[in-house]
Amino acid sequence: MSGRDSAEPVAELEEVSRVYHLGENVVTALDRFSFRFEQGEYWAVMGSSGSGKSTLLNILGCIDRPSSGSYRVRGEESAAMDDDALSDLRSREIGFVFQSYNLIPQLDVLENIMVPLFYQDEPPADGPLRARHLAERVGLAERLDHRPPELSGGQQQRVAIARALINDPALILADEATGNLDSATAVEILDLFDELHAEGKTILLVTHEPAVGERAESVLRLTDGHIAEVVHGREVGA
Amino acid sequence: MMRGSFMRTVRLGVRSLLLHKLRSALTTLGVLFGVSSVIAMLAIGEGASEEAQEAIRRLGSQNVILRSVKPPEDQASEQTTRVLTYGLTYEDFERVEQTFPGVERAIPMRELPDEVRFGSRSLHPRIIATVPEYQAATGRVVHEGRFLEEIDDRDVANVCVLGYEVARHLLPFQSSIGESVRIGSDYFTVVGTLLPRVRFESDRADPGEGITGEVFIPLKTGRRWFGDTILRVRSGSRDMVEVQLHEIVAEVDLTENVPFVAAACRTMLEREHTQRDYEVIVPLELLLRAQETKRIFNIVLGSIAGISLLVGGIGIMNVMLATVTERTREIGIRRALGAKRRHIVTQFLVETVVLSVGGGLLGILLGLVIPAGVERWADMRTIVTPTAPLLAFGISAGVGVVFGLYPAWRAATMDPVEALRHE
Ligand SMILES: Nc1ncnc2c1ncn2[C@@H]1O[C@H](COP(=O)(O)OP(=O)(O)OP(=O)(O)O)[C@@H](O)[C@H]1O
Ligand SMILES: [Mg+2]
């Protein structure tokens, strides 16, 4: 849908390791991890606590760097990039949705949605218009000038999703995006993800809950920084 | 960064600061008081120094002034029964006028304590016996008639020129030209009156003893009628004083020569006088000293200003460090959404500069109000030079940048993952 070359993987990890040194201890959060995420896929990343899910997501989102190995976003090698280039990459290609929404409290809904555009080298001229459409899209057209503290958790998460979409990213990365929501609201959010998937967005959703994992197209299960199981191509919503 | 996005950063910065209104307001106080006290003190200092320099300049910066001084009492007490003789002499005058190179002319002056009468009105003004050049040398301006002239001295004429106040008190509602006034026991014809002099703060310090105004008579006339001996009757005791001249003003041709003439005068007087019955006043020296005093004052002021702004800056830095810690999460979010380090630096630097410049602007306002109040209520002259507020503004902006850099740098170098995890 975005007209990009779909033959190229959106994200490609090769032998990626992420090692933490804590004094004498060495914690290997990701261990020579190799994987490809293709355009339009919808993955649930699952696994026990400490299995490296968040670490994987941070590396995919370019806010963390691999200790070794290679990671490419749409063919761009991230290992070679400096901090500015990585930031630029994030502002163009990554959309984050966090467990605790992470909106900026002093900005209103519309401004929050537009934050990623502020940091692009050449912000699009139609930013406010796009933000309005996205707010409408997630059902918040009436709340554009509200501040985050005035919104419910579900509404805040909708704003966060709109924000993740504003730069038309290659990858939408959601870490426990429904973790703080009641089940009814969680379902609404998951419906939204389904819609995005249907539109051809590439989505990675980290979750603990099997019910949530089942909503995704495919499941990637981690143990100790390794891939434990890959379940491909389930029916959406099955 | 583009202008539009910079203005947006400023707007957002202001908004972030307004989230904590009281804290932001208190933070600006340091810079506010620093800046306002600097401007106010500069204005007061400038005013005082200008006044002093003006008073000195009025003495004439190219003049060297010799004055008779009554020698200390213990020396005088040996001569209780005799006439007390001291001070500058006509010989001194001639030496200064004729033998000192660089002296364009010298103006002798005597002061006679006596009464001036017209009809039933009387006054005790300063009666100054002098030469025509006195007018030019002291900048007196003629109101009616003329000042003393060469011919008056030659003829030893009984003429006088009245100062403005004397004319007004003695002969109100009429022109005094041609009238005869009595000075002591003789009658003098009024040939001119003067305009009032601009009054300066320092005039109040003049030993006036309540005397209002001045009357000028020719030097020779004064000597003829009053002699060199002046009889003072003071609360019962008689006091005979012999003073030939009270003051000699030596006008020097070039400013560069003033120190040489001053030195020559001092040497000559030391040689010719057996006692310290004179003083040498060099307005140029006083001026230089006043300027030096002002320079020291400015250095002291500068240090105080520096310290107060340093304290203000540290206060701002402290608050900004707390703000950065408090907003670690926000920094993490912004970084995850694509903010570069310089975006974060700019954001926090702008907030700091908004604080310090806000404080600076309020400080300038207060700094302009204080001198106005001092001028009004304390009756002191103050001068706010246009550079002072500009300087204060620049410095407060500078304080913001200098003390904002470290907190901003701290914010920008945070690890995004760590920052996002921060509660
Ligand atoms: N900053 C860090 N310093 C040291 N070790 C870390 C750090 N971050 C993560 N780890 C370790 O890396 C491993 C993987 O952590 P990660 O956060 O990716 O787990 P997770 O799968 O997201 O767990 P959870 O489901 O609890 O969120 C864990 O063993 C964790 O202790
Ligand atoms: Mg996690």
Side-chain angles (χ1 to χ4, degrees):
Chain A
M1 80 133 235
S2 59
R4 282 158 175 141
D5 182 6
S6 54
E8 195 173 47
V10 170
E12 186 172 15
L13 300 134
E14 254 177 79
E15 297 277 303
V16 167
S17 294
R18 180 66 173 96
V19 182
Y20 294 102
H21 297 272
L22 295 171
E24 317 232 309
N25 292 357
V26 176
V27 179
T28 308
L30 276 185
D31 193 5
R32 282 174 287 130
F33 187 100
S34 299
F35 206 79
R36 307 172 72 168
F37 296 95
E38 305 289 346
Q39 173 71 44
E41 291 180 339
Y42 179 10
W43 285 91
V45 181
M46 302 188 67
S48 56
S49 187
S51 57
K53 305 183 293 293
S54 296
T55 306
L56 173 63
L57 220 64
N58 291 341
I59 286 175
L60 287 170
C62 297
I63 54 176
D64 198 3
R65 288 166 179 273
S67 308
S68 63
S70 143
Y71 169 47
R72 285 186 292 279
V73 185
R74 278 194 177 146
E76 293 182 67
E77 176 57 61
S78 73
M81 291 184 182
D82 64 6
D83 191 87
D84 273 8
L86 279 179
S87 302
D88 191 49
L89 189 66
R90 289 198 292 273
S91 75
R92 286 183 290 109
E93 305 290 6
I94 307 295
F96 274 108
V97 181
F98 303 95
Q99 177 174 2
S100 46
Y101 329 129
N102 279 349
L103 301 179
I104 295 171
Q106 62 267 36
L107 304 182
D108 65 24
V109 166
L110 199 65
E111 290 167 329
N112 261 295
I113 294 174
M114 290 200 296
V115 168
L117 300 184
F118 293 171
Y119 298 127
Q120 290 188 348
D121 288 340
E122 284 160 32
D126 63 343
L129 192 71
R130 257 203 246 172
R132 248 170 241 280
H133 283 316
L134 284 171
E136 231 164 86
R137 164 90 204 268
V138 298
L140 287 168
E142 310 294 309
R143 310 236 169 209
L144 293 184
D145 53 355
H146 285 232
R147 301 245 169 128
E150 302 159 9
L151 299 176
S152 73
Q155 288 169 330
Q156 290 192 51
Q157 198 61 300
R158 286 159 185 277
V159 177
I161 290 170
R163 181 177 70 184
L165 293 170
I166 189 85
N167 52 355
D168 189 18
L171 265 178
I172 296 170
L173 303 172
D175 197 346
E176 310 267 9
T178 56
N180 282 9
L181 301 172
D182 62 65
S183 50
T185 318
V187 167
E188 286 174 29
I189 296 294
L190 290 171
D191 289 345
L192 206 49
F193 279 121
D194 283 346
E195 278 179 40
L196 297 175
H197 173 51
E199 285 172 18
K201 304 277 185 217
T202 313
I203 306 168
L204 259 83
L205 178 68
V206 168
T207 182
H208 270 119
E209 297 166 58
V212 175
E214 277 174 16
R215 298 281 302 251
E217 180 187 36
S218 317
V219 175
L220 180 64
R221 198 175 297 279
L222 302 187
T223 326
D224 294 335
H226 294 101
I227 298 175
E229 187 189 9
V230 179
V231 184
H232 256 296
R234 268 185 314 197
E235 285 295 303
V236 175
Chain B
M1 218 183 285
M2 282 169 296
R3 175 178 302 243
S5 75
F6 181 74
M7 283 320 291
R8 191 187 56 224
T9 309
V10 172
R11 263 203 320 278
L12 292 180
V14 170
R15 216 196 286 171
S16 300
L17 293 171
L18 288 179
L19 280 183
H20 305 279
K21 291 191 189 66
L22 180 65
R23 184 210 284 180
S24 301
L26 291 175
T27 308
T28 59
L29 286 184
V31 173
L32 193 159
F33 287 124
V35 163
S36 60
S37 58
V38 169
I39 294 178
M41 284 164 79
L42 265 179
I44 292 166
E46 193 72 28
S49 138
E50 195 53 38
E51 218 158 60
Q53 295 195 26
E54 218 163 67
I56 294 166
R57 253 184 240 117
R58 222 154 33 85
L59 292 173
S61 59
Q62 289 205 22
N63 291 348
V64 173
I65 300 166
L66 315 182
R67 272 193 191 150
S68 296
V69 177
K70 193 173 169 186
E73 282 302 328
D74 55 326
Q75 284 182 31
S77 60
E78 295 163 14
Q79 311 170 313
T80 36
T81 51
R82 294 189 48 217
V83 173
L84 180 58
T85 307
Y86 69 88
L88 302 168
T89 63
Y90 288 97
E91 280 171 25
D92 292 333
F93 166 65
E94 259 142 45
R95 275 191 285 264
V96 170
E97 183 173 53
Q98 283 160 21
T99 61
F100 285 12
V103 173
E104 210 137 68
R105 61 185 171 189
I107 297 142
M109 187 271 257
R110 272 191 90 192
E111 246 182 78
L112 308 162
D114 225 316
E115 196 184 45
V116 180
R117 280 187 162 277
F118 181 78
S120 59
R121 295 167 185 274
S122 73
L123 271 178
H124 273 92
R126 294 172 70 197
I127 298 165
I128 297 169
T130 187
V131 294
E133 288 86 353
Y134 188 90
Q135 181 198 5
T138 57
R140 258 74 167 177
V141 184
V142 169
H143 177 43
E144 283 180 301
R146 60 171 179 85
F147 197 73
L148 301 174
E149 282 177 5
E150 211 61 65
I151 193 167
D152 302 327
D153 221 31
R154 198 163 357 109
D155 295 354
V156 199
N158 271 19
V159 295
C160 68
V161 174
L162 304 184
Y164 182 79
E165 294 89 347
V166 176
R168 223 184 45 186
H169 280 95
L170 231 46
L171 302 105
F173 318 118
Q174 67 174 95
S175 170
S176 34
I177 307 292
E179 299 291 344
S180 279
V181 296
R182 212 177 88 180
I183 302 176
S185 50
D186 298 286
Y187 285 91
F188 287 74
T189 307
V190 178
V191 293
T193 61
L194 301 179
L195 280 180
R197 305 189 67 192
V198 185
R199 287 195 72 83
F200 295 95
E201 216 65 35
S202 54
D203 281 350
R204 291 185 202 147
D206 275 1
E209 294 174 9
I211 293 171
T212 51
E214 302 158 325
V215 172
F216 298 90
I217 60 173
L219 186 67
K220 284 203 180 128
T221 313
R223 196 176 191 190
R224 169 186 284 181
W225 292 114
F226 298 90
D228 292 331
T229 308
I230 295 160
L231 179 72
R232 265 208 199 104
V233 184
R234 221 189 256 144
S235 60
S237 80
R238 290 165 147 254
D239 189 3
M240 300 277 267
V241 176
E242 189 184 321
V243 178
Q244 292 187 7
L245 289 174
H246 284 91
E247 190 175 290
I248 300 168
V249 176
E251 287 190 305
V252 182
D253 52 358
L254 295 169
T255 310
E256 298 93 275
N257 290 336
V258 168
F260 305 117
V261 172
C265 287
R266 288 189 175 115
T267 315
M268 181 275 283
L269 289 170
E270 228 160 89
R271 196 180 57 231
E272 301 296 332
H273 289 239
T274 52
Q275 48 183 356
R276 278 291 297 188
D277 54 357
Y278 59 86
E279 65 177 343
V280 179
I281 298 163
V282 187
L284 189 69
E285 286 174 2
L286 297 178
L287 196 66
L288 293 176
R289 215 175 300 152
Q291 280 162 355
E292 175 66 11
T293 307
K294 189 188 160 197
R295 208 176 62 82
I296 291 168
F297 183 77
N298 281 347
I299 290 171
V300 171
L301 197 72
S303 319
I304 294 172
I307 291 168
S308 67
L309 285 170
L310 186 74
V311 171
I314 290 171
I316 286 185
M317 180 155 97
N318 196 13
V319 166
M320 286 312 291
L321 283 173
T323 302
V324 164
T325 305
E326 206 172 76
R327 287 160 67 185
T328 300
R329 187 68 167 270
E330 180 191 329
I331 295 162
I333 299 166
R334 289 183 183 273
R335 293 281 279 144
L337 299 182
K340 297 185 173 72
R341 286 198 175 129
R342 66 179 159 82
H343 290 125
I344 303 295
V345 166
T346 310
Q347 181 189 342
F348 283 96
L349 211 51
V350 162
E351 283 187 29
T352 320
V353 172
V354 165
L355 275 181
S356 68
V357 164
L361 287 177
L362 291 174
I364 288 172
L365 220 62
L366 188 62
L368 294 177
V369 169
I370 292 173
V374 165
E375 186 134 333
R376 183 151 183 183
W377 307 116
D379 200 23
M380 277 167 72
R381 176 129 64 117
T382 59
I383 297 171
V384 178
T385 55
T387 49
L390 284 177
L391 192 75
F393 182 82
I395 287 175
S396 56
V399 164
V401 171
V402 167
F403 290 94
L405 269 177
Y406 177 63
W409 176 82
R410 274 265 292 257
T413 52
M414 278 178 185
D415 176 43
V417 177
E418 296 286 333
L420 275 170
R421 214 180 280 153
H422 193 266
E423 274 312 311

